[in-house]
Amino acid sequence: MEEKKQIENEHLTKVYHTNHIVEAITVEKRCTGIAHYRKVSRRGYVNLETGEYIESKARASPIDIEKRFKKSCHELRRIINLNFTGHCSEKFLTLTYSGTMRDYKQVNLDFKRFWSRFRYSYPSCEYIRIIEPQANGSYHLHVLMKRMDRQGLFVPMKKLKQMWERGGVWIENLPFVDNFGAYFCPKFLKESTTSTDTVSKAHEKGTRIAFYPEHFRLYSCSRGIQKPVPVTMTYGKLKQIVGGTPPCYSHTTTIRDEQGSREILNSITYEQYILKGEKRHE
DNA sequence: ATGTAACCCATCGAAGATGG
DNA sequence: CCATCTTCGATGGGTTACAT
């Protein structure tokens, strides 16, 4: 049993406040100094203290890729929660291919073309775009679209189909959920590893992440989309912001030297609060 | 006029190492 | 897992050019 340590009110915590959702990340031993290594080229790093030069691994391991993916998902969730509230100026689009499309670059080109057309007719719109492989490895796109002048966004189906001629198009209102970020983030990692057939390779690794190319971007945003800015504050100040609301989710990770080691290097507590009252503004 | 594609470049996300 | 830093390649969008 891990004893639940109470965080001191004076302890510093990093807080993301994205509309009605508040996330607090509290690191027990906060990073003190500056990292010793500096990137000096594509693969090269130099230790500033010793002058030692090293080169990075040629290829990232599947574990590294999964970590990166999770990190991107976290950021994506926050961006969505900061920019989308369920207002009538917001819509959710899905763009698919009629055939199989496994060319990541081509998908980006196709979206670029779609966006240049869309922007012409709806110049006040901004987007968050997520590229996702389906179980068979064929890509499709999810787009959260938003009118910045806060007028209702209505796009005739006929027009949409003209702008995206590669396959199916869907446009919907945002669903009635508390956490849009969590709703729209890919959930590959939960997939079971029990594979059946042809798509073997990706499934053997237990995830569709394997379909992405090496330097993929899970999401991208147009410039008008706000980026979440964390604020470092005391834990007491955080409690003041959330009032009496208890965290709806909380998790502490302990970092050990190596697996099974008894010595704890650090611990990180993640908490999420959902504040009522500043929820949806229709 | 009206809609689309082609350039170019500032900006932004991904990479990747270590210490805690 | 988070923090921190730098480099590099991708890309968003303003502008121009080219259609219809």
Side-chain angles (χ1 to χ4, degrees), chain A residues 31-152:
Chain A
C31 207
T32 49
I34 306 156
H36 294 160
Y37 281 83
R38 281 299 118 79
K39 189 170 191 164
V40 292
S41 66
R42 187 174 157 74
R43 305 225 119 92
Y45 291 83
V46 166
N47 186 325
L48 292 182
E49 295 192 326
T50 64
E52 178 200 12
Y53 175 84
I54 55 163
E55 292 209 333
S56 62
K57 287 179 288 185
R59 181 170 297 184
S61 72
I63 294 163
D64 291 334
I65 291 170
E66 192 175 308
K67 275 184 190 167
R68 259 177 250 143
F69 182 79
K70 281 184 180 170
K71 191 179 173 187
S72 300
C73 281
H74 273 127
E75 191 60 20
L76 174 59
R77 272 206 285 276
R78 290 179 195 124
I79 295 173
I80 293 173
N81 284 329
L82 181 59
N83 291 277
F84 286 80
T85 61
H87 192 259
C88 63
S89 58
E90 302 165 5
K91 284 283 185 292
F92 168 51
L93 317 195
T94 305
L95 311 175
T96 69
Y97 286 87
S98 44
T100 305
M101 170 50 76
R102 296 199 183 191
D103 187 339
Y104 174 88
K105 278 189 176 169
Q106 186 60 48
V107 178
N108 286 323
L109 284 174
D110 289 340
F111 180 78
K112 196 183 175 102
R113 185 163 56 189
F114 169 79
W115 176 240
S116 84
R117 292 170 174 174
F118 194 95
R119 198 178 35 180
Y120 185 81
S121 301
Y122 302 88
S124 66
C125 279
E126 301 286 345
Y127 70 81
I128 300 171
R129 180 208 73 169
I130 305 160
I131 179 165
E132 244 181 71
Q134 290 166 304
N136 66 359
S138 185
Y139 289 113
H140 64 282
L141 293 163
H142 292 307
V143 186
L144 284 153
M145 197 70 84
K146 177 185 186 182
R147 265 186 81 147
M148 301 309 274
D149 55 14
R150 292 187 65 80
Q151 295 190 47

Side-chain angles (χ1 to χ4, degrees), chain A residues 198-213:
Chain A
T198 57
V199 260
S200 49
K201 262 190 191 159
H203 267 139
E204 274 163 26
K205 290 175 184 167
T207 166
R208 289 183 208 177
I209 298 170
F211 285 121
Y212 287 113

Side-chain angles (χ1 to χ4, degrees), chain A residues 212-227:
Chain A
Y212 287 113
E214 203 179 345
H215 298 259
F216 72 95
R217 285 192 190 191
L218 171 65
Y219 67 91
S220 70
C221 310
S222 58
R223 240 168 244 172
I225 294 293
Q226 281 184 270
K227 297 297 153 63

Side-chain angles (χ1 to χ4, degrees), chain A residues 224-279:
Chain A
I225 294 293
Q226 281 184 270
K227 297 297 153 63
V229 179
V231 177
T232 301
M233 62 179 76
T234 63
Y235 195 72
K237 175 76 179 169
L238 164 74
K239 284 293 165 189
Q240 212 177 304
I241 288 172
V242 299
T245 313
C248 63
Y249 177 78
S250 158
H251 178 256
T252 298
T253 317
T254 54
I255 312 302
R256 293 182 157 79
D257 210 342
E258 43 192 282
Q259 280 231 317
S261 167
R262 298 197 63 212
E263 198 192 348
I264 295 173
L265 289 177
N266 206 346
S267 80
I268 298 143
T269 301
Y270 173 90
E271 294 171 310
Q272 186 179 95
Y273 301 84
I274 296 190
L275 307 182
K276 302 294 171 191
E278 48 184 299
K279 247 194 80 178

Side-chain angles (χ1 to χ4, degrees), chain A residues 86 92 173-177 180 183-184 280:
Chain A
F92 168 51
N173 291 318
L174 299 221
F176 283 94
V177 294
F180 292 120
Y183 181 87
F184 287 110
R280 282 174 167 261

